[in-house]
Amino acid sequence: MSKQDHHQQQQQQPLLSERLNSIVEQSLEEDDVVGDGSVDIRGRPSKTSTSGRWKAVYFIMATEFLERLVYYGICFNLLTYLVDVLHEDTAQSVSNLNNWQGMSWILPLFGAFVADEFLGRYTTIVVSGFIYILALVGLTLSVTLPSMRPSPCLAQMNCEPASRLQAGFFFGCLYLVSIGVGGMKPCLSTCGADQFNEENVEENAMKHSFFNYWWLSICGGSTIALTGLVYVEDRVSWGWGYGLLALSLLLALGVFLAGTPWYRHKHQVGSPLIEVTQVLVAAIRKWQVPIPSNPCILHEVDCDKTIPHTNTCRFLDKAAMPTMRIKDHSMVSQANVIEVFEHESSFINPWHLCNVTQVEEVKLLVRLMPIWLSSLVYIMLFTLLSTISLRQGMSMDLSTGPYFKIPPASLELFTTITAMVFIPLYDIYLVPLMRRFTGDQRGCTLLQRIGIGFIIAILAMIVAALVEVKRLKVVQDYEMENNPSATIPMSVYWLAPQYILSGISQVFGFMGQLEFFYDQAPDNMQTLGTALFTTSAGIAHFLNTVLLNLIVVATTRGGHQGWIVANINKCRLDLFYGFLASLGYVGFLVYLLVAHWYTYKKTSNSSPPNFTSQCKKLLTPELAPLVV
């Protein structure tokens, strides 16, 4: 080898070494990229080592903790404010509370639509947070300024009601809070779940525990609201209480923004509501077209993630009836195609023709609807128990020792503390124990978990009816029927058992529903799945208002006193609780029937074989060209 060749070889060695190092580094970077397509705030592929997982989730859970603190700081004591300050009667105050809560739980459906179609989850959370803060500032002014509330009424009888201006400003700000909740609620939980990659075995195991600890953050926020903020509202002033709520939400928004460098973001693919509407419109347009007996002629596209065709809800298959060119009409009869559409261009109008995966995603949502409807009764029981129990507690002895009285709204502490204690016990001990017998990774199926919550809610109603029988007996013994403002000599802690049962029911029923609707929704519609859960709670609150009004009308017919009247000591809440227990039993039987026929979504870490290629293998060589 000449000196010149030796010199060239020495020069090339560093270059080869640098190239090899570059290849190794590039390979390591590719291995570190999250495999589900997640990106960071700048649109770059997220890395497993520096993004997502619990580190990112802690910021989101802290935001949820503070947001729930604010929401429940309003919610738990709102009935007290409506009765004591705005001078509303029992039926009116309970109805107004249910209507506001219903709106706060329904608006997340529209918040999910805005996030998926226009703003994205991150931006929706930030914008909604600012609206939320503005609403809280308005509420603070409403409860602070004397001109924005009626004059005090110590006797709580024949009190001056709030004027239209006073009530209008207060409820206007209150429903502006609902808009803020509607944007933050569906996006925070979904954004938290997005921080785990289901295709990674380790992160998939973390995700199974995520919803349990997510609910723990909700319970933590409500606990602080019940112990601290409710006390400030009752014992210091409403202005200080609502002012602290505004500051808490400002802190929540700051915490969320601080976690930005670690968040994983999903690509915005548009609102699933648009895709659902496209399938429905395309199927209805072809309502006269016979359902094909051979699903292999349905339209599908080549992509990484497709969903195999199922034989449920076959009417929707019409949305995927393909446009194709027929060479031999004898082939049409073999494929059982009655009507054939000519399509000369490569462009496909999604309002005329959808693919099989899109249709199957809509079928998944349709399969959720019976569970969604049958679970409404459970949520009605849960929310009515909380609301009516508070009204009971306001009439009872609130003393805790000689010097302290518990605020009536703080009775919910029994529910939240029970849930906070039971959640880690459930995740650490009960799930592994059940897993030994069932073999299910979650310990029991999601529908079984919801069913257990349903049963416990019915038991809570029965206990509540028995406690109310006791309360009414004390009222009669002390002849206090006509003195609703007097304190009944019966400790408020008699209500503790029904609240404790409510907390246990929450761990099974509410948490089970949240995970069920997220898990069983199509992968690109999980924000909508979360919104379905919140919407069911909202509709249940509105149904509560309707039910209360029907009960009032039915029980006062013929000149009778009625079960629910302005005087809490003349109410027959024992009969009302008994009616709710009976309603819950009927609802549970319906739920069992629906759950028995439900088929879980098929999940796997690998993508299913492409539908079109599968069909081409099944068809004869003559029929294969028909599949487009």
Side-chain angles (χ1 to χ4, degrees), residues 334-362:
Q334 291 182 48
N336 293 310
V337 181
I338 306 300
E339 184 171 329
V340 178
F341 299 91
E342 283 290 340
H343 185 64
E344 297 297 338
S345 67
S346 59
F347 173 76
I348 295 176
N349 187 340
W351 296 93
H352 290 268
L353 181 64
C354 306
N355 59 62
V356 171
T357 293
Q358 191 176 348
V359 172
E360 290 301 320
E361 287 174 341
V362 176

Side-chain angles (χ1 to χ4, degrees), residues 144-310:
T144 302
L145 299 177
S147 61
M148 298 306 296
R149 60 182 190 270
S151 302
C153 180
L154 300 178
Q156 292 298 317
M157 294 181 68
N158 302 318
C159 299
E160 175 193 355
S163 67
R164 287 188 177 182
L165 176 62
Q166 292 168 339
F169 185 78
F170 177 80
F171 284 106
C173 294
L174 198 62
Y175 280 94
L176 195 60
V177 166
S178 298
I179 295 175
V181 172
M184 297 187 75
K185 186 62 181 174
C187 296
L188 279 172
S189 58
T190 309
C191 187
D194 287 344
Q195 305 310 309
F196 302 102
N197 178 16
E198 289 185 345
E199 298 175 5
N200 182 297
V201 176
E202 182 183 359
E203 292 191 17
N204 190 41
M206 296 177 184
K207 194 170 186 177
H208 284 163
S209 297
F210 164 73
F211 285 103
N212 289 336
Y213 291 102
W214 180 260
W215 204 266
L216 190 63
S217 68
I218 294 174
C219 292
S222 62
T223 299
I224 300 300
L226 289 167
T227 53
L229 290 171
V230 166
Y231 181 83
V232 171
E233 291 166 357
D234 274 0
R235 300 290 183 259
V236 181
S237 75
W238 291 97
W240 273 102
Y242 277 66
L244 289 174
L245 294 180
L247 291 176
S248 297
L249 194 66
L250 185 63
L251 177 61
L253 196 57
V255 169
F256 178 77
L257 292 173
T260 300
W262 294 277
Y263 295 150
R264 297 175 184 175
H265 303 266
K266 298 288 187 179
H267 283 291
Q268 194 173 337
V269 294
S271 172
L273 291 176
I274 300 296
E275 293 187 19
V276 172
T277 307
Q278 287 173 345
V279 171
L280 296 177
V281 169
I284 293 171
R285 283 175 182 264
K286 305 171 188 175
W287 67 276
Q288 289 183 321
V289 178
I291 298 174
S293 59
N294 188 349
C296 287
I297 69 168
L298 299 177
H299 171 62
E300 183 58 295
V301 294
D302 291 324
C303 60
D304 293 334
K305 290 188 177 181
T306 58
I307 302 178
H309 177 267
T310 60

Side-chain angles (χ1 to χ4, degrees), residues 466-591:
L466 296 175
V467 172
E468 179 61 11
V469 170
K470 168 68 175 176
R471 192 188 73 88
L472 290 177
K473 186 176 184 304
V474 174
V475 168
Q476 292 175 355
D477 290 345
Y478 286 85
E479 299 180 351
M480 303 175 67
E481 293 92 336
N482 298 315
N483 192 5
S485 60
T487 299
I488 298 172
M490 176 179 175
S491 174
V492 73
Y493 291 102
W494 275 86
L495 301 176
Q498 62 205 58
Y499 277 106
I500 291 172
L501 287 172
S502 179
I504 298 174
S505 173
Q506 189 179 97
V507 173
F508 285 96
F510 259 128
M511 289 173 55
Q513 285 188 47
L514 176 60
E515 186 173 0
F516 174 80
F517 287 115
Y518 176 87
D519 183 76
Q520 293 300 298
D523 291 343
N524 66 329
M525 296 186 181
Q526 287 173 326
T527 305
L528 180 59
T530 304
L532 278 176
F533 163 71
T534 61
T535 303
S536 65
I539 292 177
H541 280 93
F542 285 121
L543 290 176
N544 286 344
T545 300
V546 174
L547 180 63
L548 284 171
N549 291 333
L550 289 176
I551 291 293
V552 170
V553 171
T555 57
T556 55
R557 185 175 298 172
H560 293 89
Q561 178 177 292
W563 290 359
I564 302 175
V565 294
N567 185 343
I568 186 65
N569 293 339
K570 291 185 177 180
C571 291
R572 292 306 307 270
L573 297 181
D574 54 336
L575 300 179
F576 182 62
Y577 281 132
F579 170 78
L580 291 178
S582 302
L583 179 65
Y585 177 72
V586 174
F588 177 67
L589 293 180
V590 174
Y591 172 80

Side-chain angles (χ1 to χ4, degrees), residues 16 20 37 55 90 125 131 183 189 229 320 351 366 385-386 406 461 493 568 570 620 624:
L16 290 173
L20 286 172
K55 183 176 183 179
T90 301
I125 291 170
I131 295 174
S189 58
L229 290 171
W351 296 93
V366 171
L385 179 65
S386 174
I406 182 174
M461 286 295 170
Y493 291 102
I568 186 65
K570 291 185 177 180
T620 62

